[in-house]
Amino acid sequence: MRKRAVLIGCNYPGTKAELKGCINDVRRMHRCLLDRYGFPEENIVVLIDTEGSADAQPTGKNIRAALSDLAASSQPGDVLFVHYSGHGTRLPAENDKDDDTGFDECIVPTDMNLITDDDFREVVNKVAEGSRITIVSDSCHSGGLIDESKEQIGESTGRNRRKQQQQQHKQKCSGLKSFLCTEVQQELEHVTSKSLPLSTFIEILKQKTGKHDIDAGKLRPTLFDIFGNEATPKITKFMNAVRSKFGGGGGGGITDGGILISGCQSDETSADTSPEGDSTRAYGVLSNAIQVIIAETEGRVSNRKLVVRARKMLKRQGFTQHPGLYCTDQNLNARFIC
């Protein structure tokens, strides 16, 4: 059995979307994989947006390459792990009837070259039979980030989604560390949302590319023009379908070894917090909860119990986000990571 991992942390330094705790999250998980789960140092790829090699930056191209290599080179029995901490966003699906949540959930690399739920589905599909891949996404709108994966704990898909949205609309956020669940980045008691609204995303994209004619209605063609073949395959497929005048479609009924632990639901935001305003101790609240639970259980906790305990912990702390679990029935009660 080989143990291999990809850890991704995006703080977006110097931008309007800057976060504080994402690189700290990666460093804590890196140490945890070495000390608690016995991952070899050489089998862990770390992508963080600090000074350093361009190959180690968490750009869309580098993240996609690292994930593709992780899956494509897997062998039966391998334990694969991915941890992402950074901004998330979502785009309305081209056809919400073909999407479990009605949106394309995305993570946001430092160069704004989005990676979508379909990309994660392609990664999972490449994993060798007999191995499994666990993905933790401590980001906004992360519920359903593996497209077509079975929702075991959560309210992002199906009938539960509408019921949960109605409940959240009536709820008032409370507690010192709570934050309003909106699409706008905000800070309250040193808490920042990991949501990247499309308006902010477009503003940063304009700054990075020098293009000032970008608008939400033409976002997919713009990303395709900017990144070309390095753009998310979802956008490439969409553009090819448009040009060929053919519609796209989704698959279904997929059985796999993919496990997603999301920081929140598809319509929620995740929090990045700095205890007592100290950015050196900042963390994502899901990432921190996972570390606390691992320490309390010495790593012997199932996927289901980890998410249930994380939900209870965040509720006690005053956070309004609801972590989720997406996997097959077989992996529901399997031990977290390995």
Side-chain angles (χ1 to χ4, degrees):
M1 178 181 67
R2 298 184 307 166
K3 300 176 182 179
R4 302 168 61 226
V6 174
L7 309 180
I8 308 157
C10 302
N11 274 347
Y12 316 90
T15 73
K16 185 178 180 180
E18 184 168 359
L19 297 171
K20 302 297 183 182
C22 301
I23 292 177
N24 290 344
D25 293 341
V26 164
R27 288 173 174 158
R28 289 177 74 187
M29 182 55 74
H30 182 264
R31 178 51 53 190
C32 179
L33 293 181
L34 295 175
D35 295 347
R36 179 73 69 181
Y37 292 105
F39 279 62
E41 175 76 54
E42 63 272 17
N43 286 2
I44 303 175
V45 175
V46 177
L47 302 175
I48 53 178
D49 55 354
T50 58
E51 298 279 342
S53 169
D55 293 336
Q57 293 292 310
T59 62
K61 178 182 178 181
N62 289 345
I63 294 173
R64 196 169 286 111
L67 296 179
S68 179
D69 178 70
L70 182 72
S73 61
S74 63
Q75 300 174 7
D78 282 358
V79 173
L80 310 178
F81 181 72
V82 177
H83 186 134
Y84 171 76
S85 184
H87 275 303
T89 191
R90 61 180 184 168
L91 303 174
E94 297 98 63
N95 185 348
D96 61 8
K97 293 181 180 179
D98 290 332
D99 192 285
D100 291 339
T101 65
F103 290 86
D104 290 335
E105 290 79 22
C106 312
I107 65 170
V108 185
T110 54
D111 62 350
M112 306 292 116
N113 188 1
L114 297 177
I115 296 177
T116 72
D117 52 1
D118 286 71
D119 296 333
F120 282 100
R121 164 50 58 196
E122 289 191 14
V123 169
V124 170
N125 287 351
K126 292 178 181 177
V127 172
E129 186 176 356
S131 62
R132 69 182 185 184
I133 180 170
T134 301
I135 300 171
V136 172
S137 190
D138 191 349
S139 57
C140 291
H141 312 300
S142 46
L145 191 59
I146 301 177
D147 189 46
E148 298 179 337
S149 188
K150 183 173 182 179
E151 185 174 63
Q152 298 285 1
I153 301 176
E155 301 81 24
S156 292
T157 67
R159 289 176 296 179
N160 287 337
R161 176 176 44 142
R162 182 169 297 178
K163 181 179 178 181
Q164 179 70 8
Q165 288 173 339
Q166 292 172 345
Q167 291 174 344
Q168 289 176 348
H169 182 69
K170 297 178 181 179
Q171 289 176 345
K172 292 183 179 180
C173 296
S174 60
L176 289 177
K177 292 184 178 180
S178 67
F179 62 96
L180 301 177
C181 297
T182 70
E183 295 278 335
V184 181
Q185 181 184 350
Q186 58 195 283
E187 183 169 340
L188 179 63
E189 295 293 336
H190 314 298
V191 176
T192 303
S193 165
K194 287 187 175 182
S195 174
L196 191 62
L198 284 183
S199 58
T200 306
F201 173 80
I202 291 172
E203 181 180 337
I204 296 174
L205 194 61
K206 288 178 179 178
Q207 295 171 352
K208 287 182 174 292
T209 63
K211 295 179 178 291
H212 298 287
D213 57 346
I214 303 173
D215 61 64
K218 299 179 180 179
L219 192 53
R220 286 182 174 86
T222 300
L223 289 171
F224 184 77
D225 289 340
I226 293 172
F227 296 109
N229 292 331
E230 293 179 2
T232 165
K234 176 98 177 192
I235 288 177
T236 303
K237 178 182 177 182
F238 172 77
M239 290 304 299
N240 289 337
V242 170
R243 292 174 178 179
S244 302
K245 297 184 180 180
F246 290 126
I254 297 175
T255 301
D256 56 60
I259 301 162
L260 168 67
I261 295 176
S262 65
C264 61
Q265 300 303 294
S266 176
D267 62 332
E268 293 179 339
T269 57
S270 293
D272 179 86
T273 183
S274 302
E276 300 178 356
D278 183 358
S279 61
T280 64
R281 297 163 53 206
Y283 54 75
V285 297
L286 172 69
S287 297
N288 181 67
I290 288 175
Q291 292 298 329
V292 171
I293 294 167
I294 288 175
E296 291 175 347
T297 62
E298 297 183 346
R300 295 189 291 271
V301 61
S302 70
N303 293 312
R304 183 183 65 81
K305 289 184 178 180
L306 176 69
V307 174
V308 169
R309 291 184 64 168
R311 280 190 161 211
K312 292 179 179 179
M313 183 182 301
L314 268 56
K315 183 177 181 179
R316 288 198 305 269
Q317 294 171 344
F319 293 102
T320 59
Q321 67 194 74
H322 300 83
L325 175 61
Y326 302 79
C327 63
T328 61
D329 294 342
Q330 181 180 1
N331 287 322
L332 175 61
N333 291 306
R335 187 169 292 181
F336 176 61
I337 300 185
C338 61

